[in-house]
Amino acid sequence: MIKYNEKNRLFKLSTADMTYAIKIAPGNYVAHVYFGKEIPDEDLTWLLRLDENPFTPETNARDKAVYMDTLPFEYPCLGTGDFREHAFSVLDKDGMSTVDLRYKSHIIYNGKPKLKGLPATFADENKAQTLEITCVDEYCGIEVVLIYSVIENYSSVIRSVRIKNNSTNPVNITRAMSMALQLDSDKYDMHTFYGSWARERHLERSKLHHGKQSIDSLRGESSHQHNPFFMLVSHTADEKQGEAYGFSLVYSGNFFAQAEVTQHSKTGVTMGINYVDFNWLLEEGEEFQTPEVVMVYSSSGIGNMSRTYHDLYRNHLIRSKFKNTRRPVLINNWEATYFDFNYEKLLNIARDASELGIEMLVMDDGWFGHRDSDNSSLGDWFVYEKKLSPGLPQLVSEVNKLGLKFGIWFEPEMISPDSELYKKHPEWAIQVKGRPLTLCREQYVLDYSQKEVRDYIYEMLRKILTSANIEYVKWDMNRQLTEAGSCFLRADRQREIWHRYVLGVYEMMERFTTDFPDILLENCSGGGARFDPGMLYYSPQIWCSDDTDAIERLKIQYGTSMCYPPSAIGAHVSDCPNHSCGRITPFETRGHVAMSGTFGYELDTTRISENDRQMIKEQIKQYKKYCHLIINGDQYRLGNVFSDISYDAWLFISKDKTQALLTYVQVLAKANERSKRIKLDGLNPDWYYKNDVNDLVLSGSALMNGGFNFENLWGDFKSKQVYFTRVEK
Ligand code: GLA
């Protein structure tokens, strides 16, 4: 999979149908040669145009600056003539920021390394290979190791960087991106995923233009506003054809991602931890590891790129034992009661839910300290006796007796000013000494850079989790970081707080998943503000959005599915009019949309119509029948709600292509339109499939080229599911 040609000084990484090539170019600079469809063994040096370029240092030292500003560097640095976006910069002992990295050595080995303190993709030793290229700056003694891994059968290259200070002087890293590369053209559209609270991951597609176009987060989390994922695709690319490059950062904090079209109409790509407000002091002998970027290439459209990410993340990122299995159908009390619940109310919900076939009760926010609203008690992780008397163990045991599992909500990274913890330890809040703290949802953020703080919170969590038979945890994070500073860090390490905070969160989650491997963990952040690969390493599912309206969810889940597998998308059926936007949608449609994620309920079942109650039983049956396709199958997006909001459709197909589940949502009905025909995808064209709506037996070819007719669904927001199975003809 990874080869080095000594004569040409060329590395070639090839898997599935992709090739990635790197060359040690004149001057010992590490240059990007190629990333795209597989090119079988041959020398690709010519792609660098070195012969045409009269400016290589050997041939024209007089104009080396031109060489520096045009060579496509794998890891461009600041200061020696490359004026494009740089990936790396330092402040050395002399206060200088110039870095000059030159190739020193490399190794190729089987397997893929773990990244210290960071989530990362993994693979068996015989299924992956890794290349490490070591570069050095002789003057300031910095060593930079460029790490590239490939995993068998995935058109993907996974990159990160390890930096070491080999000098006897401290060096400040002021920027350390996880990757950079330069594509040889600018004929791409950039897709980014923007949003806000309750409107996450809305897709935006725009043509690249000269100059820089970037997305980022400076909020301390990956954020509602932008996701640490973007794509570059050829102008005409769609779900089924065209080139697509995906860039996905396995990180949950501040990030930066950019495409820059240069003076010569090439496209530079940079991605990593946001360099704004970042500084990392590296003492003699110390190392810094960047998070990794998972790059995926597809020569056959965006759909194929998404399916590569889905498989890669399901098989090589998510570790939870639940990842390939059906999760219990849960009912969460948040939208049913908000803070207004007690022992009896919860038991009533559980009682009713058990009759309907629901399998788990999740007690959301409001069970601890003296929390009756969002204005207190974060940090006081002990039971609010007034609400839960005769106690949590008793409640859990009663719920269990009803045949339901029990889950619980925490927000472990937070502290309320009105809490016992804050009275004892105001210095544990993230803050800048001498400045007022900015409130958000009437709470502050705990200083997770500090082990003492983490240990204290963890111990409280542990006590609760071992006090009763708790089988699920929803780990929430409901505000962004402001006044990012620590009462404990030295002045010259204060700018490390953003990253140290994220490392602290990862350490807590690592501890949690190690100690409680049998508890199903769902991440959440004010809905979907931390829907990122970093979180998937710890939890097999993430709450996708606080917007539970089925129609709004079409866009949110469509955007999320570009990179993340449906098996990870937390989705619930909730009440109507919907709490986020007031829309009324049929119960059936709400079920079909939630079923395309992890599936559960978030409403008071005693307050809905008998008809809808009966439908819950039906939906659970359907979900149990189809969930293996949703959890482990391939997804094909057949509509695009961003370009045509009149309908949406998507398909899940089993890996062996013998079964498929088609979901169609008619968003707005049209008069005098009798039916809608949807062309399927991904089936075996030569096989025959029977559907459960009209029992027609049609070939895969007929279904993919002709389509399936949905008869007129009367009214807006209606939906239909069709199940196909292979039959012999
Ligand atoms: C966040 C979550 C919700 C709910 C509330 C509780 O907003 O996204 O699902 O848990 O917090 O405060």
Side-chain angles (χ1 to χ4, degrees), residues 467-505:
S467 71
N469 183 26
I470 293 170
E471 298 184 71
Y472 161 106
V473 163
K474 178 173 169 188
W475 183 307
D476 209 340
M477 195 275 193
N478 275 323
R479 66 155 288 179
Q480 294 128 17
L481 276 60
T482 55
E483 293 86 31
S486 166
C487 293
F488 303 94
L489 293 173
R490 278 173 13 203
D492 56 359
R493 289 208 177 268
Q494 280 292 346
R495 298 331 320 128
E496 298 172 13
I497 182 76
W498 296 104
H499 185 52
R500 286 191 184 275
Y501 175 79
V502 178
L503 293 178
V505 172

Side-chain angles (χ1 to χ4, degrees), residues 308-320:
T308 303
Y309 272 114
H310 294 178
D311 283 340
L312 221 162
Y313 285 172
R314 284 187 296 209
N315 299 328
H316 299 282
L317 177 67
I318 304 174
R319 297 175 299 171
S320 162

Side-chain angles (χ1 to χ4, degrees), residues 197 332 334-335 338-339 364-366 371 374 409 411 441 474 476-478 524-528 543 545-546 602:
W197 172 73
N332 179 305
W334 179 241
E335 284 196 31
Y338 295 104
F339 294 99
D364 211 278
D365 192 357
R371 189 150 162 110
D374 61 8
W409 178 97
E411 199 180 351
R441 213 191 188 210
K474 178 173 169 188
D476 209 340
M477 195 275 193
N478 275 323
C524 175
S525 178
W543 183 229
S545 175
D546 276 348
E602 186 146 341

